[in-house]
Amino acid sequence: MTQEIKNGLNQDTIMHVGKNYIILISIFVLLLSAGCKDGFISDKPYKIAEIPLDEGKILIYKSPSNATVQESIQIRTSDDTVNSKRVFMRYDVLQEYKLTNDRLDLILQDTSGFTVKTDTFSIELQSLK
């Protein structure tokens, strides 16, 4: 009888510890899926594309949203990596880009609403200088 009680307590303890591990793993997976790095949400823009040109390059950044700013896609040049040349507010996905002789065509998506909104934008390369 005493052995049965000890076995029951050990199984209860194992179940309790197992549930705690499952909760910790679930929290970790949630943080990773939310884009958290080192336990903090990063609000800095990050590069999603780099387009080489004859003189320099075009950098495309995604800026995540925070309490005061909406998500956006930003177009920058290699000589000015701080200031954006173009900002597309509310767009959060760069679906495709195509570089022709004198312009850059972008297909951007806004996935923040109930339906996905897709738009095409054309930027003359001369305006980025």
Side-chain angles (χ1 to χ4, degrees):
M1 178 94 164
T2 307
Q3 186 63 28
E4 291 174 5
I5 292 173
K6 285 182 181 178
N7 288 342
L9 287 174
N10 287 339
Q11 288 176 354
D12 288 341
T13 303
I14 290 171
M15 291 295 287
H16 181 69
V17 170
K19 287 179 185 177
N20 287 341
Y21 280 122
I22 290 173
I23 291 171
L24 287 173
I25 290 171
S26 299
I27 290 171
F28 180 73
V29 168
L30 275 172
L31 288 174
L32 283 178
S33 67
C36 298
K37 296 177 183 171
D38 302 325
F40 298 101
I41 297 174
S42 175
D43 60 350
K44 295 180 182 177
Y46 55 92
K47 187 170 36 175
I48 55 175
E50 185 174 311
I51 306 165
L53 299 173
D54 290 338
E55 64 275 339
K57 53 189 159 185
I58 296 173
L59 306 169
I60 303 176
Y61 282 81
K62 178 180 178 184
S63 181
S65 64
N66 60 29
T68 58
V69 178
Q70 295 177 343
E71 285 182 314
S72 65
I73 300 289
Q74 302 174 359
I75 308 299
R76 302 177 182 181
T77 57
S78 58
D79 60 342
D80 191 1
T81 57
V82 177
N83 298 317
S84 299
K85 301 293 185 180
R86 296 282 189 280
V87 177
F88 300 95
M89 298 299 291
R90 296 191 59 90
Y91 291 96
D92 55 348
V93 175
L94 171 64
Q95 186 177 13
E96 184 179 338
Y97 68 87
K98 184 169 80 172
L99 185 64
T100 59
N101 291 338
D102 60 345
R103 70 172 198 252
L104 173 65
D105 295 323
L106 301 169
I107 299 176
L108 304 178
Q109 289 184 328
D110 174 9
T111 62
S112 63
F114 291 111
T115 59
V116 175
K117 178 182 169 186
T118 303
D119 290 316
T120 302
F121 298 95
S122 185
I123 303 170
E124 290 188 25
L125 295 179
Q126 193 72 324
S127 69
L128 296 176
K129 293 182 180 181

